[in-house]
Amino acid sequence: MITLAEGLRLPTNGLDYTILAIYFAVVLGIGFAARRSVKTSLDFFLSGRSLPAWVTGLAFVAANLGATEILGMAANGAQYGAYTVHWYWIGAIPAMVFLGLVMMPFYYGSKVRSVPEFLLHRFGPSSHLLSSVIFAVSSVLIAGVNLYAMAIVLQALLGWPQWVAIVVAGLFVLAYITVGGLSSAIYNEVLQFFVILAALIPLTVVGLKRVGGWDGLTHSLTSSHGDAFLTAWKGTGIGESNPLGANWLTIVLGLGFVMSFGYWTTNFAEVQRALSAKNLSAAQRTPLIAAFPKIFIPLVVVVPGLIALVMEPTLGKSAGGLQYNDAIPVLMRDLLPNGVLGIAVTGLLAAFMAGMAANVSSFNTVFTNDIWAAYLKKGREDRYYLATGRVVTAVGVLIGMGTAFIASSFSNIMNYLQTLFSFFNVPLFVVFIIGMFWKRTSAAAGFWGLLSGTVAAMVNYFWFYKQGIISIPSDQGANFVSSIVAFVVGALVMVVVTMVTKPKPAASLAGLVYGTRSPGMEEPPAEGDDAWYRKPALLGWGALVLAAVCYIPFSF
């Protein structure tokens, strides 16, 4: 179960609740302020493609920095040690750079409103409808995880009944997205990014001081868990054992390539932020700007997990005691005074709301544009689809409440999320990457590659792994293998089907395949976009080099 121990009740007082109330008021204020800019469905779903790169960049990273990320990666830090940095420096940064430099020109240049719409142009209605359904299902599943986990946390920390926490947070997310659309979600995500940091930085600093600084932390952990626990690569040779249950090959291919690229390049909850940028240059820079804070997030997420393990050595040791998911709440309980505690609780709530809002806003866009308007109610006037989007937002929140309980069988939140990504995002990435770089790929290949990759990942996880047919030491290791299986099966099916079916006419692929451009889609650079420090290539390569440098202290 995703639960927190009863002993984690926080000593909150009126000051802490006042800070929480002020935050809620500001969130709603931003929603109503954004309402004035919502005149069309494009305004509601993509902010009218009008936002600057620094806003969309911070929203991009905040949409990913939900509380499931914070609690889950802190739990991973406590459970797996320094191996957790792989999710950032090899499992995020290269894919974010690839999205900005290679894929955003296709997404933004084709003027699509969603990722499935791109598949409609490249492969046709079958792939479009299948991918739309997959996106809709995965979005509400992930939104539900955020909402349910938040309810459990607030029940343990503040004593709120679960239904109160679900209703309060759900209604606030529903209110500011329904009123202000994506602009409201994005501007609130920028606010939430800074609130989250205001909560995590004091937690990390005070925690390090309590355990004797970095030297005290490393000494305690190497004494109790061995030298490999604080290195990223030691023990990852093929045939060697480590807490993560993965070797360097599954880390590089499963996490660093297949799962990472599958998530960052096709997950519409992220891509939607870049599509809302004011021009192509800003859209390309969105994930590249986001990459720089993402590089340093382990300092305030993974490190607290390590600190919690030193302060509470019993984490994860018994079923009835403190679990790895309790790492952040343990530090909040033991380290923070009132006032600062209120900021930390607010930051945690902000993180949950950011993660939920990102998935709800992507759900309403995909369902309205790619399912409702494309197949069920075609050719209606724009205000009809604007109203539909607001109704679908409410439906998405309600469905998210119901689907959240599926996560209850996972003791580590990130295990569940990574399982979903291996099922849904990796097969989509296979279809995108092959269709984008191979003109010969046919429409039928896109559909069957997507379907076979999804089924293959599920079969590997639920049959081969869960039934013990193959031995994999951990859920995360199984997710890496499922990702590789999904990619290989999907790619092989696409190649075979392409060779026996008719390709699309070359003229219809302009702007959809690498090396081609859509007629009339060229746009001159905006004033200032040609400055050297705004060059996407410089930002991308800078992020890659910095991520590689960060590995050095954790490699020996």
Side-chain angles (χ1 to χ4, degrees), residues 25-351:
V26 172
V27 164
L28 286 180
I30 291 174
F32 281 100
R35 187 174 189 271
R36 293 175 295 179
S37 65
V38 179
K39 301 292 191 299
T40 68
S41 62
L42 184 65
D43 296 331
F44 185 79
F45 294 120
L46 287 179
S47 303
R49 298 186 190 272
S50 62
L51 301 180
W54 72 270
V55 170
T56 55
L58 290 180
F60 189 99
V61 70
N64 176 254
L65 192 60
T68 49
E69 162 93 0
I70 294 172
L71 293 181
M73 284 304 177
N76 275 0
Q79 185 173 0
Y80 304 128
Y83 296 106
T84 309
V85 299
H86 291 308
W87 270 271
Y88 295 88
W89 300 334
I90 197 172
I93 303 306
M96 294 168 75
V97 171
F98 184 82
L99 172 63
L101 296 184
V102 178
M103 296 191 71
M104 279 317 302
F106 293 95
Y107 284 141
Y108 199 90
S110 60
K111 300 301 179 185
V112 296
R113 292 190 176 199
S114 68
V115 171
E117 189 177 343
F118 183 87
L119 290 182
L120 172 65
H121 297 313
R122 177 60 182 89
F123 293 107
S126 297
S127 297
H128 174 239
L129 181 58
L130 178 60
S131 65
S132 299
V133 172
I134 288 174
F135 268 110
V137 171
S138 62
S139 294
V140 293
L141 284 173
I142 297 171
V145 176
N146 278 278
L147 192 58
Y148 179 68
M150 183 216 63
I152 297 297
V153 169
L154 291 184
Q155 181 185 38
L157 300 187
L158 303 181
W160 292 10
Q162 285 187 33
W163 72 268
V164 172
I166 288 175
V167 170
V168 169
L171 287 180
F172 269 87
V173 171
L174 177 61
Y176 73 74
I177 296 180
T178 303
V179 170
L182 184 63
S183 293
S184 175
I186 285 179
Y187 281 116
N188 268 303
E189 283 162 2
V190 173
L191 168 66
Q192 288 158 350
F193 175 75
F194 291 107
V195 172
I196 292 167
L197 290 184
L200 293 178
I201 290 174
L203 202 63
T204 307
V205 172
V206 176
L208 278 174
K209 185 176 180 180
R210 177 69 66 89
V211 298
W214 182 253
D215 289 339
L217 177 67
T218 55
H219 176 74
S220 297
L221 290 177
T222 52
S223 298
S224 60
H225 291 75
D227 294 336
F229 196 71
L230 291 178
T231 62
W233 295 106
K234 191 171 183 179
T236 61
I238 295 176
E240 294 185 80
S241 61
N242 59 71
L244 189 58
N247 56 54
W248 68 267
L249 185 63
T250 55
I251 291 172
V252 172
L253 292 182
L255 174 63
F257 176 58
V258 179
M259 186 177 288
S260 170
F261 278 65
Y263 174 80
W264 291 103
T265 64
T266 67
N267 183 22
F268 187 51
E270 302 294 337
V271 174
Q272 187 180 27
R273 274 73 195 143
L275 289 177
S276 67
K278 63 182 180 180
N279 56 33
L280 175 58
S281 174
Q284 283 193 275
R285 283 183 279 124
T286 293
L288 304 177
I289 291 172
F292 287 91
K294 184 70 175 177
I295 290 172
F296 297 105
I297 291 298
L299 295 178
V300 292
V301 174
V302 180
V303 171
L306 300 175
I307 295 170
L309 192 60
V310 173
M311 293 182 58
E312 292 285 351
T314 60
L315 277 180
K317 300 298 184 184
S318 63
L322 293 169
Q323 302 301 306
Y324 292 119
N325 285 330
D326 297 326
I328 292 291
V330 160
L331 297 185
M332 291 170 60
R333 180 197 66 185
D334 294 345
L335 298 177
L336 299 182
N338 292 111
V340 179
L341 184 60
I343 295 174
V345 172
T346 302
L348 202 58
L349 185 59

Side-chain angles (χ1 to χ4, degrees), residues 439-460:
K439 288 183 181 181
R440 178 72 175 79
T441 311
S442 65
F447 174 82
W448 289 109
L450 179 56
L451 182 61
S452 63
T454 302
V455 172
M458 292 181 175
V459 168
N460 179 76

